[in-house]
């Protein structure tokens, strides 16, 4: 039944499936009615929502999706079209930033997705694709094994041939998307288990090496370790650490995410760390919610809360500690891109900018429409290649318009997505993580080290 108290927003009347069948949600953490009721249907969030920007449909806006959740908690069944509108959400949390009423859309969509994954039958194709993704991406060792054939493919010239033929795009668009996103790989030694602080020790930090980050951006991890050590941190990097569970929790696979979270807590909690530092925005945002993820687990609830309190994004921690290592000039014009899970989900915007501005000779430029997602969004760009490419193109256009020679961001997914889009547009811009810029400044490597890193 439709909730008659639902206000005067324009409800997506056409998107619901048949009214017969089981109610959309069971009583295992359905989207909370009181959080749904916080939405006053003002529509301020609409222009910041990437799917609304692309398609202009109410059902693909935050307000429309909250309306559908309300239908679900009032007993409507989970129709295919309802699921499609929830699946279309990038989980970018731009709507959370925009909402003047403090609607916790992040909580709502996370609970909705967990219900969908448990209760909605996926098509065989969807099942196969999701199974393949979740058998690979959360496993750093499996991803690292992929590096060998991928490097051979990139360096043999086959990649250019395949790109020119357009064959992969026609035969297997999902594979073509993955292929276009893969960064140019090079060999970097794996970080040691422990790196001592340089000079006076100011903190002991555990460090997440991540899955995609460790397999495809090992140089970002190396730069992170060097910067932390230079800033007086002893860095602990247990090689047995696994995935943090971010991809799983953002895609409704809560039980899997809880398994990853418990293992990570087990790995790090006895190390004596003061902080747990993360250099990937998507991972950081879910690590900061371990307390909620494990709240129902009596053996881990308290431990998860203690762990959560120590989690810091790299820029957040460096800003908090304050600089001690000397910054050398980098004569560069830099555009800084707010990764959604850093800006919207963690509210970290000033810290990375301030760290960059502290570098002598560096000029910082802002990107138009910074709140709109680049279309990466975890695995959203793999599941939805066409709209993801459209969002990537919008972002790349705005990035290239800054005239910057270097794009800086703090998420591996954004780096891959914007690099692929800029390449499609024939744009010339180098890409780096904030850690790499700080590292180049501290080590006095000069701008060329960032504009044309060693191949
Ligand atoms: S999380 Fe992003 S895509 Fe989803 S409704 Fe909010 S703004 Fe739109
Ligand atoms: S801005 Fe907030 S209150 Fe307004 S429609 Fe969007 S979610 Fe609802």
């Amino acid at each position: 039944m439709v909730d008659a108290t639902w206000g005067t927003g324009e409800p997506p009347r056409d998107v619901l499936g048949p009214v017969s069948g089981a109610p959309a949600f069971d009583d295992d953490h359905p989207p909370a009615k009181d959080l749904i009721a916080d939405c006053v249907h003002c529509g301020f969030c609409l222009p910041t929502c990437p799917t609304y920007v692309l398609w202009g449909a109410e059902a693909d806006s935050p307000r429309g999706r909250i309306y559908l959740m309300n239908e679900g908690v009032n007993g409507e069944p989970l129709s295919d079209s309802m699921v499609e509108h929830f699946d279309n959400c990038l989980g970018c949390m731009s709507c959370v930033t925009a909402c003047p009423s403090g609607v916790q859309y992040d909580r709502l969509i996370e609970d909705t997705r967990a219900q969908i994954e448990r209760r909605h039958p996926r098509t065989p194709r969807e099942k196969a694709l999701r199974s393949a993704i979740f058998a690979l991406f959360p496993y750093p060792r499996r991803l690292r094994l992929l590096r060998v054939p991928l490097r051979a493919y990139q360096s043999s010239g086959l990649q250019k041939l395949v790109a020119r033929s357009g064959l992969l795009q026609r035969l297997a668009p999902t594979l073509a998307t993955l292929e276009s996103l893969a960064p140019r790989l090079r060999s970097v030694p794996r970080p040691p288990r422990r790196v001592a602080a340089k000079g006076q020790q100011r903190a002991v930090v555990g460090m997440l090496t991540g899955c995609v980050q460790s397999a495809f951006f090992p140089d970002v991890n190396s730069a992170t370790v060097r910067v932390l050590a230079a800033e007086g941190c002893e860095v602990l990097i247990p090689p047995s650490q696994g995935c943090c569970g971010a991809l799983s929790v953002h895609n409704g696979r809560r039980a899997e995410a809880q398994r990853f979270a418990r293992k990570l807590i087990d790995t790090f909690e006895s190390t004596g760390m003061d902080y747990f530092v993360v250099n990937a925005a998507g991972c950081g945002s879910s690590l900061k919610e371990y307390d909620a993820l494990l709240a129902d687990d009596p053996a881990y609830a308290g431990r998860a809360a203690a762990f959560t309190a120590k989690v810091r994004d790299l820029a957040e921690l460096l800003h908090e500690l304050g600089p001690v290592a000397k910054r050398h000039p980098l004569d560069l014009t830099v555009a800084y891109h707010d990764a959604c899970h850093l800006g919207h989900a963690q509210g970290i915007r000033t810290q990375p900018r301030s760290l960059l501005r502290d570098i002598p000779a560096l000029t910082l430029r802002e990107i138009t429409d910074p709140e709109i997602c680049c279309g990466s969004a975890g695995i959203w760009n793999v599941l939805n290649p066409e709209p993801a490419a459209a969002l990537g193109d919008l972002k790349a256009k705005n990035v290239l318009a800054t005239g910057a020679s270097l794009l800086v961001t703090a998420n591996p997914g954004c780096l891959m997505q914007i690099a692929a889009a800029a390449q499609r547009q024939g744009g010339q811009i180098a890409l780096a993580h904030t850690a790499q810029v700080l590292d180049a400044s501290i080590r006095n490597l000069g701008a060329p080290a960032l504009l044309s890193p060693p191949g």
Side-chain angles (χ1 to χ4, degrees):
M1 292 292 291
V2 174
D3 181 353
T5 65
W6 180 260
T8 55
E10 292 161 28
R13 301 297 311 161
D14 55 333
V15 296
L16 296 175
V19 287
S20 61
F25 306 126
D26 60 24
D27 55 8
D28 179 3
H29 297 95
K33 279 187 177 185
D34 55 334
L35 299 189
I36 290 173
D38 286 340
C39 174
V40 297
H41 329 129
C42 64
F44 283 130
C45 54
L46 269 59
T48 73
C49 172
T51 51
Y52 188 78
V53 168
L54 281 183
W55 303 317
E58 173 73 17
D60 282 313
S61 75
R63 182 173 66 186
R65 292 185 179 109
I66 293 170
Y67 174 83
L68 292 175
M69 291 170 196
N70 194 49
E71 295 283 88
V73 297
N74 284 307
E76 292 286 347
L78 199 55
S79 68
D80 287 348
S81 93
M82 209 193 252
V83 170
E84 189 184 331
H85 294 298
F86 292 135
D87 280 353
N88 284 343
C89 170
L90 289 92
C92 66
M93 304 312 156
S94 181
C95 50
V96 176
T97 301
C99 178
S101 302
V103 171
Q104 294 178 52
Y105 181 85
D106 47 347
R107 286 250 114 89
L108 289 170
I109 192 69
E110 203 170 296
D111 287 338
T112 301
R113 288 202 150 129
Q115 292 271 346
I116 290 172
E117 289 317 298
R118 281 191 289 107
R119 293 167 60 78
H120 177 72
R122 296 276 182 195
T123 65
R125 192 187 164 276
E126 284 174 338
K127 256 194 217 157
L129 182 56
R130 281 170 192 260
S131 301
I133 287 171
F134 283 98
L136 178 66
F137 280 80
Y139 298 95
R141 277 197 204 123
R142 294 178 198 173
L143 279 176
R144 279 198 290 271
L145 283 178
L146 249 192
R147 286 176 55 90
V148 179
L150 197 53
R151 279 192 80 185
Y153 171 72
Q154 289 179 340
S155 55
S156 66
L158 196 59
Q159 185 177 33
K160 282 189 186 133
L161 207 68
V162 169
R164 266 203 299 273
S165 73
L167 207 63
L168 199 58
Q169 185 62 49
R170 283 199 297 281
L171 295 178
T174 304
L175 204 58
T177 303
L178 278 171
E179 190 261 7
S180 72
L181 291 171
R184 188 120 199 113
L185 297 176
R186 57 190 203 89
S187 214
V188 175
R190 291 186 57 190
R193 289 163 183 259
R194 176 188 167 274
V195 175
K198 282 199 173 155
Q200 194 191 346
Q201 182 174 304
R202 300 197 290 163
V204 178
V205 304
M207 180 181 146
L208 183 78
T209 46
C211 303
V212 171
Q213 193 81 287
S214 69
F216 295 135
F217 297 97
D219 29 9
V220 172
N221 280 343
S222 307
T224 301
V225 173
R226 283 192 296 266
V227 170
L228 284 167
E231 294 292 22
C233 299
E234 178 182 348
V235 192
L236 308 174
I237 317 152
S240 58
Q241 61 178 288
C243 177
C244 67
L247 267 193
S248 306
V249 78
H250 292 151
N251 287 279
R253 300 164 71 99
R254 187 172 274 161
E256 184 178 81
Q258 287 169 332
R259 281 199 301 279
F260 285 132
R262 288 188 195 101
K263 181 170 179 276
L264 204 68
I265 292 171
D266 290 346
T267 306
F268 277 95
E269 74 177 354
S270 60
T271 58
M273 64 184 181
D274 303 311
Y275 301 102
F276 184 70
V277 75
V278 193
N279 61 13
C283 305
S285 74
S286 62
L287 283 154
K288 287 182 176 177
E289 291 178 351
Y290 269 13
D291 50 347
L293 183 66
L294 294 171
D296 296 341
D297 180 341
Y300 276 86
R303 294 162 66 188
F307 186 89
T308 297
K310 293 182 178 182
V311 176
R312 299 285 187 284
D313 172 72
L314 174 70
E316 185 182 22
L317 177 65
L318 294 175
H319 193 259
E320 209 171 303
L321 291 174
V324 289
K326 180 175 166 55
R327 269 48 171 177
H328 298 92
L330 284 175
D331 191 5
L332 275 175
T333 302
V334 165
Y336 178 77
H337 163 68
D338 290 292
C340 293
H341 279 95
L342 197 61
H344 298 310
Q346 299 183 58
I348 296 176
R349 296 184 183 86
T350 55
Q351 299 93 324
R353 286 179 171 79
S354 154
L355 291 168
L356 292 170
R357 281 201 188 97
D358 282 349
I359 296 174
L362 186 147
T363 306
L364 191 60
R365 297 243 167 101
E366 293 297 332
I367 301 165
T368 307
D369 295 335
E371 71 285 358
I372 302 280
C373 180
C374 66
S376 169
I379 56 167
W380 196 87
N381 54 353
V382 180
L383 297 174
N384 305 275
E386 284 180 19
L391 289 170
D393 288 344
L394 276 177
K395 183 62 72 183
K397 190 169 142 263
N398 287 333
V399 167
L400 295 171
T402 63
S405 51
L406 183 73
L407 174 70
V408 177
T409 190
N411 202 45
C414 306
L415 279 174
M416 293 192 285
Q417 171 79 355
I418 301 173
Q423 201 173 11
R424 275 197 301 276
Q425 295 179 21
Q428 289 290 321
I429 191 159
L431 299 116
H433 189 283
T434 319
Q436 292 171 296
V437 183
L438 293 170
D439 181 47
S441 168
I442 291 170
R443 294 202 290 155
N444 199 14
L445 299 181
L450 293 164
L451 297 177
S452 47

